[in-house]
Amino acid sequence: MRVFLTKFLLVLAFATGLSAHASAQSGIVRTLQLDGGFDPAAVGAIDPSDAELAANLWRGADRADMARLIAGLPARIQSATLADLARRTLAVAAKPPEGAKTAPGFAESRAEALLAIGQADLASRLLAGIPKSSRSEAADVLLLNASLLARDNAGACAVARGRAATSGALIFAKMLTVCEALSGDTARAELGAGLLAEQGPNDPAFFELLDMMTGAVSAPGRAVAALKTPSPLHLSMMRALSVPPPALPPLDAMPAEIARLQVAKEQMIAADPSASPTIRMEAAWRALRAGAADYEQSRQLFFALGGKVPGGSVARHYAAAASANDGPDKTIALARLLLAGKSDGGYSAAAELAHPMLRDLLALASGPDIALRIGRGLLTAGEPKAAMNWLRSLDGAGKVPGAMNAAARLAALVSLAEGQDVRPFDGPRAVLWIVAINGQDTASAPAKAALMAKLRRAVGLPVPLSLAGAAQAYASGNAPSTLELLPLQTASADMRVGETVLRALHLVEVDTAGDRAHRLAEAAQALSTAGLYEDARFLALEAAVEGDL
């Protein structure tokens, strides 16, 4: 294998010169100069100030434990707040945790996790910040894939040219051949293809696509048609050739090795105009639901094509809302969009998708239930002032059945979002909220009262005696146990911010047994204790929506 690669590189070097190609990595990569010199483990793609995190966020944490927690993170994070926290925590440039170095390194582990949650650009920028002399072959494979998934072909070519002379991995030689084809040098691409074919790699789809790139054939063959799980390189080649990508694999039967790159692939497919409209919209919604998509691009896509999708998909509801007349029709359509998002496990994504339309709605009488739904959506999208307008509209409809109950529930949610009571929540007001919850579903009222009590504590609000009393009947069998919560509570109490974020992610997104709303509430309390107050409020609101408060 090494003989082949040497021969391959000598031919290309003679023809073009390996040093003539520079990386096109975009963005600023921040690194830290630590006591004793540069530490590659401290590399990051975001400054602590931009990430709104402390530069010492790993203080007090054990490196091996953090590496284990990072490796155990899921690719799909349902909580929008925790997905954003994961992105910032993993990408930030900061002094690493204490402890012996791990393999892979701490920076590489963070980059791999970033790529898994769909942050290909941040992963590639982080890895590019590690000095070339300190990057392992595995790190360069990761950097090449991250560059491809970030649609940075120039960056991927630079990685391949810098590594192929010293590596036995065929991925670098394959990438070099594609780079020649992309540059329009058919002769050198064909030469590379011939040398690759001598090695007999079991990748017929690659050679069919390469033949298309060199002009040897004009259409994909059977191997491309049979491709079910394309690699990042396959997808990049298909995109360059306007070959439609295959259908997305089912989420419930996806092997772990495929799932680790799937969210980033879905982002790439959602932006691929050659993909079928149905596949593009499914890919966009999957990525949105995982907290990893381009909202503006998705809005344009769903508006243009969502009406062509059958059934009650979020894309179809978005198109209907965007096309509806201003007034009650648009309000009802947006309420249906939010409901569809919640039913499909992506309420926060649906709220952010609808954000511009929600913000521009006039708070007109549309029925208490609709007003409550719109108010929740506005709070989730970060618009508490606009949500207050809907609360006032409910106040004005006090004699309409259900209006007072909806107003009590919405006022309590606005208080969670603001971290302060917008209206008194003691005495009669707390009783009114309890009555509203009881009127909704008597059987679930104690669990909801207990959840509201937890959430008010999490955001620093007092818990009235009437609420505490109503919560006493809640059987906490479905809530996280004291033993389960102890590592998270200990980390947050000690202000170990990075560890708190990772353990909160595990509590909510990995250890998923039991009541999700109460897990979110415990995570919100931990974030607040660790000083992440704004994130705690958003997570508390997610818990309230999850618990149907």
Side-chain angles (χ1 to χ4, degrees):
M1 179 69 70
R2 183 60 53 81
V3 171
F4 153 69
L5 285 171
T6 302
K7 178 181 177 183
F8 178 78
L9 287 163
L10 283 174
V11 173
L12 289 184
F14 178 76
T16 59
L18 292 181
S19 62
H21 296 263
S23 171
Q25 289 291 337
S26 60
I28 299 173
V29 177
R30 298 293 187 185
T31 60
L32 297 180
Q33 195 74 21
L34 305 177
D35 294 340
F38 174 77
D39 185 352
V43 167
I46 309 177
D47 281 336
S49 59
D50 294 332
E52 298 180 351
L53 293 169
N56 66 342
L57 80 160
W58 299 114
R59 178 198 60 80
D62 177 77
R63 190 178 300 203
D65 281 349
M66 297 307 97
R68 176 182 56 80
L69 290 172
I70 290 170
L73 292 176
R76 297 182 186 277
I77 300 174
Q78 186 177 338
S79 163
T81 303
L82 290 177
D84 180 60
L85 260 176
R87 175 188 66 83
R88 288 150 50 200
T89 302
L90 294 168
V92 72
K95 183 178 180 179
E98 296 294 331
K101 293 182 179 180
T102 57
F106 191 64
E108 289 90 336
S109 295
R110 291 185 288 124
E112 186 174 5
L114 281 168
L115 185 55
I117 64 173
Q119 302 295 333
D121 179 60
L122 289 176
S124 65
R125 286 163 53 193
L126 190 157
L127 288 164
I130 301 173
K132 188 177 175 181
S133 59
S134 299
R135 280 203 310 264
S136 65
E137 179 179 293
D140 272 341
V141 171
L142 191 64
L143 176 54
L144 190 150
N145 282 327
S147 299
L148 288 172
L149 291 168
R151 301 188 289 282
D152 179 12
N153 288 336
C157 288
V159 175
R161 294 184 186 280
R163 171 58 71 171
T166 59
S167 170
L170 277 176
I171 182 64
F172 299 113
K174 290 164 78 173
M175 186 70 229
L176 279 177
T177 307
V178 171
C179 295
E180 298 302 335
L182 288 171
S183 70
D185 200 325
T186 301
R188 282 189 281 274
E190 289 175 341
L191 173 62
L195 291 170
L196 278 167
E198 291 178 8
Q199 305 306 302
N202 185 24
D203 192 355
F206 169 80
F207 287 103
E208 286 185 5
L209 292 167
L210 191 58
D211 282 345
M212 287 185 68
M213 295 182 84
T214 60
V217 297
S218 59
R222 283 183 288 186
V224 172
L227 192 61
K228 301 298 183 185
T229 54
S231 69
L233 182 55
H234 289 141
L235 284 176
S236 183
M237 296 170 77
M238 295 170 87
R239 182 182 175 88
L241 293 163
S242 297
V243 173
L248 302 176
L251 287 175
D252 57 356
M254 194 179 295
E257 64 272 14
I258 294 173
R260 295 301 289 177
L261 292 178
Q262 189 59 33
V263 177
K265 289 182 186 178
E266 287 161 2
Q267 286 180 300
M268 192 173 187
I269 292 169
D272 187 349
S274 65
S276 75
T278 301
I279 290 176
R280 283 188 73 187
M281 285 185 286
E282 182 184 0
W285 175 239
R286 284 189 183 187
L288 283 172
R289 198 169 55 183
D294 183 324
Y295 278 99
E296 188 51 43
Q297 173 188 285
S298 298
R299 291 182 188 111
Q300 294 173 12
L301 177 65
F302 291 174
F303 177 69
L305 303 174
K308 301 177 182 179
V309 180
S313 71
V314 167
R316 186 174 183 84
H317 280 295
Y318 181 87
S323 303
N325 294 325
D326 290 338
D329 289 349
K330 188 176 285 291
T331 302
I332 292 170
L334 284 168
R336 288 172 177 163
L337 167 60
L338 293 169
L339 183 60
K342 189 173 190 297
S343 299
D344 203 18
Y347 182 84
S348 294
E352 184 57 38
L353 194 67
H355 186 172
M357 290 188 284
L358 288 169
R359 184 185 56 220
D360 294 341
L361 279 179
L362 291 177
L364 302 174
S366 302
D369 184 57
I370 297 294
L372 178 59
R373 288 189 197 178
I374 297 298
R376 277 179 178 164
L378 283 163
L379 290 172
T380 302
E383 295 284 352
K385 290 183 179 179
M388 282 296 297
N389 293 333
W390 288 88
L391 178 57
R392 295 185 190 100
S393 77
L394 285 168
D395 290 338
K399 293 184 179 181
V400 175
M404 287 183 64
N405 285 355
R409 293 173 66 190
L410 183 54
L413 296 179
V414 176
S415 296
L416 291 178
E418 293 281 64
Q420 59 183 9
D421 280 319
V422 295
R423 293 179 178 178
F425 195 77
D426 54 3
R429 292 278 188 179
V431 171
L432 181 58
W433 183 87
I434 294 167
V435 169
I437 292 299
N438 272 294
Q440 182 194 20
D441 180 3
T442 304
S444 66
K448 292 181 177 181
L451 179 60
M452 178 57 81
K454 283 185 181 180
L455 296 177
R456 286 182 64 84
R457 291 190 194 99
V459 300
L461 296 175
V463 178
L465 291 176
S466 53
L467 182 62
Q472 285 181 349
Y474 171 60
S476 59
N478 286 331
S481 68
T482 302
L483 186 62
E484 189 180 4
L485 292 173
L486 186 59
L488 172 62
Q489 292 172 340
T490 303
S492 63
D494 198 30
M495 301 295 285
R496 301 199 299 266
V497 175
E499 181 176 348
T500 299
V501 171
L502 294 181
R503 292 196 182 280
L505 279 157
H506 274 258
L507 177 69
V508 174
E509 304 290 349
V510 179
D511 308 318
T512 56
D515 192 317
R516 179 177 172 84
H518 281 267
R519 288 183 177 275
L520 286 163
E522 296 290 357
Q525 177 65 72
L527 295 182
S528 179
T529 302
L532 299 171
Y533 304 115
E534 184 175 1
D535 298 293
R537 291 197 298 272
F538 273 108
L539 196 60
L541 191 60
E542 283 191 42
V545 172
E546 180 72 26
D548 198 24
L549 298 186

